Amino acid sequence: MEYSPPPLFKQGAPARVKVTVFACISVALLVLDARMHVLDLVRQGAATVLYPLQMLALVPRDASVNMGSYFSTLSALQKEVRELKSTQMASAQLMQQAQLQMAENAQLRKLMGAREHLPVTSMMSEILYDARDPASRKVVLDRGTRQGVALGLPVIDNAGVVGQVTRVFPFTAEVTLLTDREQAIPVQVLRNGLRSVAYGRGQSGVLDLRFVAPNADIVVGDVLITSGMDGIYPAGLAVAKVIQVESNAGGVFGRVVCQPLAGIDRNRQLLILMAAPDVLPRPAPEAPKVAGKKALPKMTPLENVAPLPPKEAPPAPSAALTPPPPATATPAVKTP
């Protein structure tokens, strides 16, 4: 049996010949490709065929890079979101403060405009807090006796009357609002001058006109102003607006409900009218009456009055012409 080596180990042309042949072929292809570009189509086809294999080989690298960038980007975004939230909260707080300052500036401008038209001097004040008693309608201002505030001074805003100073301390003052149950103010209808008295109704925030005749000329929409008859509030200040009128034909008085025009529960800056109220003097006390006798008024003595001239006395009658008086029997009086 003839022994022959496998085809892999069969010796053909020498290795040097093979290297020389393949080197010449490579040089020829390089020259042809450089001069005539004959291998462009082959190169594009090979790149197209090998592209999926390249992408598949790059998947592990891209996955590791993308995973690292994902976590880094997520932490950066979370940090940015926290910073944006804190910035938003600070901006919201600044915006609220700006809106509050804008509202206060607008209110102060209105108060300054109203202050120029007042006939008396006034003082700007600010509400510190409401009174502790929930059943009353009172506020505390940041002005007191050290600033010249006294009892009874009226308090207003740019729209009308707010209340009256009822308690004074060295640095603060307590103001009773118009809507308090114990507060009353004399008013008159701006349209026809009808006078009345407005009383507060407490927590409801409205005023009542009591003891009004059923046929009184008051309609919804009438504006009430101060009459000035109490000597405390200057005349002509706006007080309230009529919102409801009920006429009771069978009763003695009607019912009129009014809405205050001033910012009773809204504004924080108020004006204190510094004019002292003109309180009328008290009448002199009456003399005590004596039982069984009618007290006569005291007569003021007249001074520097010329005396009357003396008159001549009439002539006395003669004794001869005058008859004697008749004798009368005196009845006996029994003593017990």
Side-chain angles (χ1 to χ4, degrees):
M1 184 177 61
E2 185 180 359
Y3 177 78
S4 62
L8 180 62
F9 295 98
K10 287 182 178 180
Q11 295 183 357
R16 293 180 180 179
V17 176
K18 293 179 180 180
V19 171
T20 303
V21 173
F22 285 115
C24 293
I25 294 172
S26 299
V27 171
L29 291 175
L30 288 174
V31 172
L32 292 175
D33 185 47
R35 297 294 180 89
M36 304 177 63
H37 304 286
V38 295
L39 297 178
D40 289 343
L41 295 176
V42 177
R43 190 181 296 110
Q44 292 178 2
T48 304
V49 173
L50 296 176
Y51 179 77
L53 299 176
Q54 293 176 355
M55 293 295 101
L56 184 62
L58 294 176
V59 166
R61 188 203 67 175
D62 295 340
S64 62
V65 173
N66 293 333
M67 186 175 298
S69 63
Y70 170 77
F71 288 109
S72 62
T73 305
L74 182 61
S75 61
L77 288 176
Q78 290 177 351
K79 182 179 179 181
E80 185 177 359
V81 168
R82 288 194 297 268
E83 293 178 354
L84 289 176
K85 285 184 178 180
S86 61
T87 305
Q88 183 181 5
M89 293 178 62
S91 301
Q93 184 177 2
L94 292 176
M95 184 179 295
Q96 291 178 0
Q97 293 179 356
Q99 292 177 353
L100 178 61
Q101 291 178 358
M102 290 176 60
E104 290 182 354
N105 290 336
Q107 178 64 19
L108 289 175
R109 291 192 186 97
K110 294 179 182 179
L111 288 179
M112 295 301 294
R115 187 177 184 179
E116 295 177 356
H117 297 86
L118 290 175
V120 296
T121 59
S122 59
M123 178 188 298
M124 192 76 66
S125 63
E126 185 175 357
I127 297 177
L128 297 178
Y129 51 88
D130 293 339
R132 296 180 180 179
D133 187 5
S136 63
R137 305 284 292 172
K138 298 179 181 180
V139 294
V140 178
L141 304 182
D142 61 345
R143 295 291 186 269
T145 54
R146 301 294 295 270
Q147 290 79 24
V149 180
L151 289 175
L153 294 181
V155 179
I156 66 172
D157 64 358
N158 61 295
V161 180
V162 174
Q164 181 182 5
V165 177
T166 53
R167 295 179 67 185
V168 184
F169 304 97
F171 299 99
T172 58
E174 187 178 80
V175 176
T176 301
L177 304 179
L178 289 180
T179 53
D180 189 83
R181 290 183 179 274
E182 298 180 356
Q183 191 72 0
I185 178 173
V187 296
Q188 67 181 79
V189 182
L190 181 61
R191 178 173 54 87
N192 54 19
L194 180 66
R195 292 191 299 271
S196 182
V197 179
Y199 296 85
R201 293 182 59 182
Q203 297 294 333
S204 60
V206 295
L207 304 175
D208 274 341
L209 292 185
R210 303 176 185 175
F211 313 114
V212 178
N215 58 351
D217 186 11
I218 300 178
V219 296
V220 175
D222 281 343
V223 177
L224 306 180
I225 60 175
T226 54
S227 62
M229 299 188 66
D230 57 348
I232 298 177
Y233 297 95
L237 298 178
V239 178
K241 184 178 181 180
V242 178
I243 60 175
Q244 183 181 357
V245 178
E246 295 181 2
S247 299
N248 189 3
V252 181
F253 301 107
R255 181 170 179 266
V256 180
V257 181
C258 309
Q259 181 69 36
L261 293 176
I264 302 294
D265 298 327
R266 297 185 299 273
N267 299 328
R268 190 171 181 180
Q269 288 78 22
L270 303 174
L271 287 176
I272 303 176
L273 302 185
M274 302 305 295
D278 299 331
V279 181
L280 298 177
R282 291 178 176 272
E286 297 181 357
K289 296 182 180 181
V290 181
K293 295 183 180 180
K294 185 177 181 181
L296 298 177
K298 294 182 178 180
M299 303 298 294
T300 304
L302 299 177
E303 298 179 357
N304 301 326
V305 179
L308 296 175
K311 295 183 179 180
E312 296 181 357
S318 60
L321 298 178
T322 302
T328 57
T330 302
V333 178
K334 296 182 180 179
T335 59

